[in-house]
Amino acid sequence: MRKLLIGLVLALCLLPAFGWSADKATGGTLVWGRGGDSVSLDLAQATDGESIKAGIQVLENLVIFGKDSMNVEPQLAESWSVSDDGLTWTFKLRKGVKFHDGYPFNARAVYDSFARVIFKEHPYYGYGQWKYVSMSLGPVKDIKVIDDYTIALVTDKPYAPLLNNLALWLCPILSPRSMADLKEKIGTRPVGTGPFKFVSWTKDDQIVLERNNDYWGEKAKVAKIVLKSIPEPSARLMALQSGTVDIADDLDPDSIALVKKNAKLAVIERPSINVGYLAFNTEKPRLKDPKVRQALTHAIDQGTLIKAIFAGLAIPAKNPFPPSIWSHNDKIVPYEYNPEKAKKLLAEAKFDFGQEIELWAMPVSRAYMPEPVKTAELIQAYFAAVGVKAKIVRHEWAAYLAKTSNGEHDLCMLGWLGGNADPDNFLYGLLSADTAKTPGASNVAIWKNQEFTELCLRGQKTFNKADRTKIYLRAQEIFHADAPWAPLVHTLNVRCYSKKLHDVPLRPNGLNSFQMVSKDK
């Protein structure tokens, strides 16, 4: 067996991994101001950040990312190994762990939690939309219970990203008793093994969690977490300034600047693992020629965009994923802002300047696109400067996602948070020919480059990181030359909070349990 990582014993593993300090007073209520309500607290159904932020306080995985890093560490699994052929992943589970309802944690509970999202014949299958789970765990074809505290996942092909995918939120371990009792309502009252227990949920107002005093590891420092829904960034800022909330997430750049000037407040900034981009629908006749896509990329002034929209809280993008993720191709020379070169390439491509092109703008703000309409208006002006008339189109968010995944757009603005920090999450998930199939394409450029796709598939089967890096460096060269996107920005991850809090974490993906956070009385 080839060992990927040997889980450390509990006493050694937890303290350095999570940074807990024994001298901090415990108790109190942490009030967390966020931009919206959760959709479901069954994280196998969740794709939105607000659901994940709340759910990971209650539910746990086999493995997890570190407090402030994307390094995979033990959680409900103490150790793991993968067979020499790369097809069988074996996990040794923690003993003495109980779910919040008193049900014992064991291999059978892990089996049910995985089987319900993989096997259609499982009695708990179908309580949600498993599209993202299927993409991330799709190669798993069998689950074997070896004994009460050993379980194996068997894949139909070697799949190197699996461990990082398991550290995501998408396959939490739920109490089998609660799944049987609650069925499709499990997302409204989750029962896990985490440091906090679910108490109540008032829709569009707040979710209340309380400390799990029977937690298997170090107990949470605060007695309660209240997650408040405050949609307006200005209202979240006011709540933070007044002390009504202790943390305010997803503030706009101007609000963040005000927080930095307030002596009672603090800010953490981390390099992100996201990308904001403009996708060209490569199946539209006027966008088929790579010269046209290259020209439109040359027409955009990223520097001005970052100053005007992001207030400097972003860096320019040139590749599909940020430099904070391994195998980022630093040798790629970005498409510089050059209107004259853009005009020349458009002329060479015999572009039809007489007809408007549709530029779809997101109707909601995200960390990678905080002001999508203003961003679209700037891009529209840049295109006009090279003779291209762009019409801004907007749709309601659900319709926007559905229509772009059906390839109905010319150009569309979107972004991605690569929650598992693996290049495959961006390259295969967003740009392979396999994910360009409509309806439901996640590759909204509808770009079908066979060499690129074959490289992605080879990368999935390669466990040696140096060899995978070579594959992904080449894939980025192909992406750059063919220009299915104009990569725009990678934003900084920012968390604003009261200085009454201590040990506030911030992973590059922005998703943390708050069990280590303490609050002054």
Side-chain angles (χ1 to χ4, degrees):
M1 302 282 280
R2 182 173 59 223
K3 296 286 182 184
L4 290 186
L5 178 67
I6 302 299
L8 302 178
V9 294
L10 186 59
L12 294 177
C13 169
L14 289 178
L15 290 175
F18 294 107
W20 285 317
S21 50
D23 59 342
K24 295 279 171 54
T26 61
T29 298
L30 188 160
V31 184
W32 186 354
R34 39 189 205 139
D37 200 4
S38 301
V39 176
S40 173
L41 299 186
D42 176 7
L43 298 186
Q45 302 184 40
T47 57
D48 64 294
E50 301 305 348
S51 294
I52 299 160
K53 288 175 189 176
I56 61 176
Q57 312 303 321
V58 175
L59 304 174
E60 295 186 305
N61 303 334
L62 294 179
V63 294
I64 193 65
F65 296 117
K67 173 191 168 189
D68 293 313
S69 77
M70 300 303 291
N71 298 323
V72 178
E73 299 176 352
Q75 197 170 47
L76 290 175
E78 289 186 317
S79 65
W80 55 90
S81 60
V82 61
S83 58
D84 290 338
D85 62 6
L87 298 177
T88 301
W89 299 70
T90 303
F91 296 85
K92 294 289 185 180
L93 307 179
R94 294 193 186 279
K95 298 178 181 178
V97 177
K98 288 187 178 181
F99 290 97
H100 300 153
D101 60 1
Y103 196 91
F105 166 76
N106 53 31
R108 189 70 210 182
V110 176
Y111 177 89
D112 283 335
S113 295
F114 276 86
R116 74 182 184 116
V117 300
I118 295 172
F119 304 140
K120 291 183 179 179
E121 64 272 16
H122 193 274
Y124 307 147
Y125 183 87
Y127 296 156
Q129 300 298 318
W130 313 124
K131 181 179 176 181
Y132 187 59
V133 178
S134 297
M135 186 173 76
S136 301
L137 302 181
V140 177
K141 68 174 184 178
D142 196 12
I143 308 167
K144 295 181 177 180
V145 175
I146 310 300
D147 58 42
D148 283 351
Y149 295 99
T150 310
I151 196 158
L153 303 180
V154 182
T155 58
D156 59 9
K157 63 179 180 180
Y159 187 61
L162 182 63
L163 194 65
N164 279 53
N165 289 349
L166 292 176
L168 285 169
W169 62 88
L170 50 80
C171 203
I173 311 304
L174 290 160
S175 162
R177 179 189 293 159
S178 70
M179 286 190 281
D181 291 346
L182 295 171
K183 298 181 173 61
E184 70 276 3
K185 294 181 181 178
I186 189 68
T188 65
R189 283 176 283 164
V191 180
T193 59
F196 292 95
K197 299 191 292 186
F198 175 83
V199 176
S200 64
W201 185 356
T202 305
K203 275 291 186 182
D204 299 316
D205 181 13
Q206 66 180 29
I207 293 172
V208 179
L209 312 175
E210 67 181 10
R211 179 168 54 206
N212 175 15
N213 289 319
D214 295 320
Y215 186 57
W216 57 267
E218 192 86 16
K219 306 298 184 290
K221 299 294 185 184
V222 295
K224 187 182 291 185
I225 293 179
V226 177
L227 298 102
K228 294 288 292 183
S229 298
I230 309 174
E232 288 298 321
S234 58
R236 288 200 299 283
L237 173 65
M238 289 176 63
L240 182 64
Q241 291 171 324
S242 68
T244 306
V245 304
D246 302 301
I247 293 177
D249 274 351
D250 300 323
L251 294 180
D252 59 80
D254 290 341
S255 296
I256 292 169
L258 291 174
V259 171
K260 289 180 176 180
K261 295 177 182 177
N262 191 319
K264 295 181 179 180
L265 304 178
V267 176
I268 311 175
E269 295 179 357
R270 295 269 187 274
S272 78
I273 48 174
N274 70 11
V275 63
Y277 61 87
L278 179 67
F280 305 115
N281 187 336
T282 59
E283 292 198 337
K284 295 287 184 173
R286 290 194 300 159
L287 295 168
K288 278 186 176 293
D289 191 334
K291 285 186 177 180
V292 172
R293 306 193 294 265
Q294 293 165 4
L296 295 176
T297 305
H298 276 300
I300 299 171
D301 184 350
Q302 284 176 297
T304 298
L305 199 67
I306 288 170
K307 288 177 184 175
I309 304 295
F310 298 88
L313 294 173
I315 60 172
K318 62 180 181 179
N319 293 327
F321 57 88
S324 54
I325 293 182
W326 60 274
S327 82
H328 181 269
N329 195 330
D330 296 325
K331 293 183 179 179
I332 295 286
V333 178
Y335 290 97
E336 80 281 6
Y337 173 54
N338 191 330
E340 293 307 313
K341 190 168 186 177
K343 291 176 185 177
K344 182 175 180 293
L345 286 167
L346 289 167
E348 290 175 3
K350 298 181 172 55
F351 184 78
D352 177 9
F353 292 95
Q355 185 181 351
E356 278 186 328
I357 197 163
E358 288 190 351
L359 169 58
W360 289 28
M362 292 167 51
V364 298
S365 63
R366 288 291 182 266
Y368 53 75
M369 204 74 68
E371 296 188 83
V373 176
K374 287 185 180 179
T375 303
E377 289 170 349
L378 262 178
I379 292 173
Q380 181 186 46
Y382 290 137
F383 287 172
V386 298
V388 176
K389 293 179 288 186
K391 173 186 176 183
I392 295 176
V393 174
R394 298 183 69 191
H395 293 282
E396 180 270 328
W397 185 225
Y400 186 92
L401 293 175
K403 287 176 176 291
T404 53
S405 71
N406 290 341
E408 297 177 27
H409 57 288
D410 290 334
L411 302 90
C412 71
M413 294 161 46
L414 269 174
W416 186 250
L417 171 68
N420 70 350
D422 193 293
D424 176 78
N425 196 251
F426 291 85
L427 299 178
Y428 182 80
L430 300 179
L431 289 159
S432 71
D434 294 344
T435 59
K437 298 167 185 174
T438 56
S442 56
N443 176 355
V444 295
I446 321 296
W447 182 56
K448 300 171 183 174
N449 184 292
Q450 202 54 45
E451 183 186 358
F452 179 93
T453 301
E454 287 172 1
L455 285 167
C456 290
L457 293 172
R458 195 190 314 163
Q460 290 180 350
K461 297 176 182 179
T462 304
F463 284 79
N464 182 281
K465 196 171 183 178
D467 292 339
R468 284 186 82 196
T469 295
K470 291 176 185 177
I471 292 168
Y472 293 145
L473 292 175
R474 173 58 187 149
Q476 289 167 83
E477 291 173 355
I478 296 169
F479 165 86
H480 183 75
D482 222 28
W485 295 354
L488 299 175
V489 297
H490 307 296
T491 60
L492 286 177
N493 225 346
V494 179
R495 175 156 285 153
C496 300
Y497 62 98
S498 165
K499 286 185 178 178
K500 289 183 178 181
L501 300 183
H502 305 279
D503 295 329
V504 177
L506 182 61
R507 285 193 188 111
N509 67 3
L511 304 170
N512 288 88
S513 167
F514 279 2
Q515 65 199 101
M516 73 292 294
V517 179
S518 62
K519 183 178 179 180
D520 291 340
K521 293 182 179 179

